[in-house]
Amino acid sequence: MRAHRTPRAPLTALPLAAALGLALASPATAEPPGIPDPATAKTQLGELTVAPEGSMDGYSREKFPHWIEGPDNCNTRESVLRRDGENVQVGSDCYPTSGSWTSPYDGATWTRPSDVDIDHVVPLAAAWRSGAAQWTQEKRQQFANDLEGPQLIAVTDNVNQEKGDQTPDKWMPPAASYHCTYASMWVGTKHRYGLTITEAEKSALEKALGTC
């Protein structure tokens, strides 16, 4: 994890445009695939095994090899930046040269990819504590680079760093309007990989899904 940065104000519309009363298109926010609808998320939540968290013994981010190169010669981070951004242009090395990214966690929009983190919705350490410690390295790599489920999303870097490896009973996105979607993504990921949840985690997810 990179050093914490001083929070910045998001990019805003030009004052002239507002003064002229011009209609400004709302920027597209990041949206990974496979997010279950609220009803499905509630069903899946009821199917998850409730258990105390395991220990962090033996944990290392290196046990979840991530940002691996895909068949298109883009690594996972670059692929998510392309997917979740708007008007993204990339160079020959697949790294974005222009575009914008709107983080649904806080509503901020950025035009530099260095201001954007790719969040593991279920953090690697949280996955370790809820079952991934028993997985093979191959399965942990799949989890850390999953482009088919709702596990990876482009968000404001400072917000991602504040989240750390916390579960929903201890952290939720600053934008309360996103709690339903975030909970659905969390449940969908844990259900997809057969991970456990704690009682406190389940209660927080039920509360968030109740806002849908």
Side-chain angles (χ1 to χ4, degrees):
M1 186 175 292
R2 292 179 283 125
H4 188 85
R5 299 181 177 181
T6 302
R8 299 138 304 185
L11 301 179
T12 55
L14 293 174
L16 178 61
L20 295 176
L22 298 178
L24 297 173
S26 298
T29 57
E31 183 172 329
I35 303 175
D37 62 70
T40 301
K42 290 174 183 178
T43 298
Q44 291 180 345
L45 178 58
E47 294 171 350
L48 295 178
T49 299
V50 177
E53 279 193 326
S55 77
M56 290 290 288
D57 290 352
Y59 170 74
S60 168
R61 287 179 67 84
E62 283 66 43
K63 293 185 177 180
F64 293 79
H66 52 288
W67 309 163
I68 61 173
E69 189 171 296
D72 57 358
N73 296 319
C74 298
N75 67 35
T76 309
R77 172 179 163 79
E78 293 162 346
S79 294
V80 177
L81 287 172
R82 291 176 66 184
R83 183 195 73 193
D84 288 356
E86 190 168 26
N87 300 320
V88 178
Q89 301 296 318
V90 300
S92 58
D93 59 355
C94 206
Y95 192 76
T97 56
S98 64
S100 64
W101 294 265
T102 298
S103 165
Y105 285 7
D106 60 345
T109 298
W110 309 103
T111 57
R112 295 187 306 180
S114 59
D115 288 329
V116 178
D117 275 357
I118 306 306
D119 182 34
H120 288 98
V121 172
V122 176
L124 305 182
W128 181 269
R129 299 191 299 265
S130 57
Q134 283 74 51
W135 291 352
T136 63
Q137 183 102 333
E138 182 180 7
K139 185 172 182 179
R140 288 194 289 263
Q141 177 174 295
Q142 176 190 352
F143 177 82
N145 298 276
D146 188 355
L147 293 170
E148 298 178 359
Q151 165 65 348
L152 300 173
I153 188 169
V155 299
T156 301
D157 58 355
N158 293 97
V159 174
N160 186 44
Q161 291 156 18
E162 289 164 4
K163 171 185 173 179
D165 66 353
Q166 298 179 88
T167 49
D169 51 304
K170 298 174 182 175
W171 187 92
M172 291 290 284
S177 60
Y178 198 67
H179 288 184
C180 168
T181 302
Y182 183 78
S184 297
M185 292 163 62
W186 185 283
V187 171
T189 297
K190 283 220 160 177
H191 190 271
R192 177 174 168 86
Y193 286 92
L195 295 168
T196 63
I197 55 171
T198 65
E199 287 283 6
E201 186 181 339
K202 184 175 184 179
S203 295
L205 291 165
E206 288 174 338
K207 180 180 178 180
L209 290 174
T211 67
C212 297

